[in-house]
Amino acid sequence: MEIIVQSDAETAGKLAARMIRRQIETKPDSVLGLATGGTPLPLYRELIRMHKEEGLDFSRVTTFNLDEYIGLAPEHPRSYHAFMHETFFRHVNISADSIHIPDGLTRDVEALCADYESRILAAGGIDLQVLGIGTDGHIGFNEPGSSLASRTRIKTLTPQTLSDNARFFEEGEIQPHHVITMGIGTILDSRRILLLAFGANKAEAVAAAAEGPITASVPASALQLHPKAHLFLDEPAAEKLTRADYYRWVYDQKPGWQKNI
Ligand code: PGA
């Protein structure tokens, strides 16, 4: 696991965007796994800037989102379809046919999940997966207790996740308790993983994921098994890491071209 600590979320998001740019420039038909939530916003802002100002080309890119709320139509403003469209897709030149997000209104969850896995395989697998982390250590919506070998399926959110995400819903609005999410096994099959975590409320989950035992109780700890996992943190998210100084030192030893990715 490579742990990169930056002063703030904007700087870390920009650095993560450079890694994605390199991926797309190396392989223009890359398959990207994408995440929602507050965390990836600086990353998406920078990718949009790279597209508009530097011509970063998404025309041959395929995307698979991690998850979606069950019961929300794609056009529902709180759906992850709507979130992705507003914050990213409508600002870049990605083809609508190349975007994949689970359908929260499906009548057959099991068939949809199997189909989602097949589509990922048919696309050649995910080259680079973007992740956030929940305060309870979840990745995607794989809540604590999720099998480390799990595939795309239905999950029930924890009260902690519901409370963390209540800020995205207006008062009186129904907040779904069920989701479709890629599994931990699905995520681990990606060729490269970028996990972003910002803010002191993520510090405990980050430390457990990076330095604690590999356990289904902390789903993000499964990333210790992945050969190419990179964690982009701001200082507050790194504050509970016992080896934070070592990670900073490792980063400082890198040649300039590697530091700037
Ligand atoms: P957040 O969510 O980016 O909104 O903090 C992270 C997650 O739940 O993975």
Side-chain angles (χ1 to χ4, degrees), residues 145-226:
S146 291
S147 159
L148 301 185
S150 50
R151 312 302 305 187
T152 304
R153 71 213 182 292
I154 184 171
K155 285 296 287 182
T156 307
L157 299 178
T158 59
Q160 188 174 336
T161 297
L162 286 170
S163 140
D164 287 346
N165 285 356
R167 70 189 195 280
F168 294 112
F169 290 81
E170 277 161 31
E171 215 174 308
E173 236 176 5
I174 293 172
Q175 191 182 356
H177 289 193
H178 294 98
V179 293
I180 292 169
T181 181
M182 276 186 207
I184 297 174
T186 321
I187 291 169
L188 290 179
D189 283 348
S190 312
R191 294 184 189 93
R192 188 181 293 280
I193 295 177
L194 272 60
L195 182 144
L196 281 62
F198 307 134
N201 63 332
K202 298 291 174 71
E204 213 161 299
V206 165
E211 296 180 339
I214 298 173
T215 167
S217 297
V218 182
S221 66
L223 300 185
Q224 292 177 34
L225 294 167
H226 197 282

Side-chain angles (χ1 to χ4, degrees), residues 35-40 66-67 80 131-135 138-141 161 164-165 167-168 196 198 201-202:
T36 51
T39 305
L66 283 166
D67 41 31
Y80 285 160
L131 296 175
I133 183 171
T135 57
H138 72 217
I139 45 175
F141 270 138
T161 297
D164 287 346
N165 285 356
R167 70 189 195 280
F168 294 112
L196 281 62
F198 307 134
N201 63 332
K202 298 291 174 71

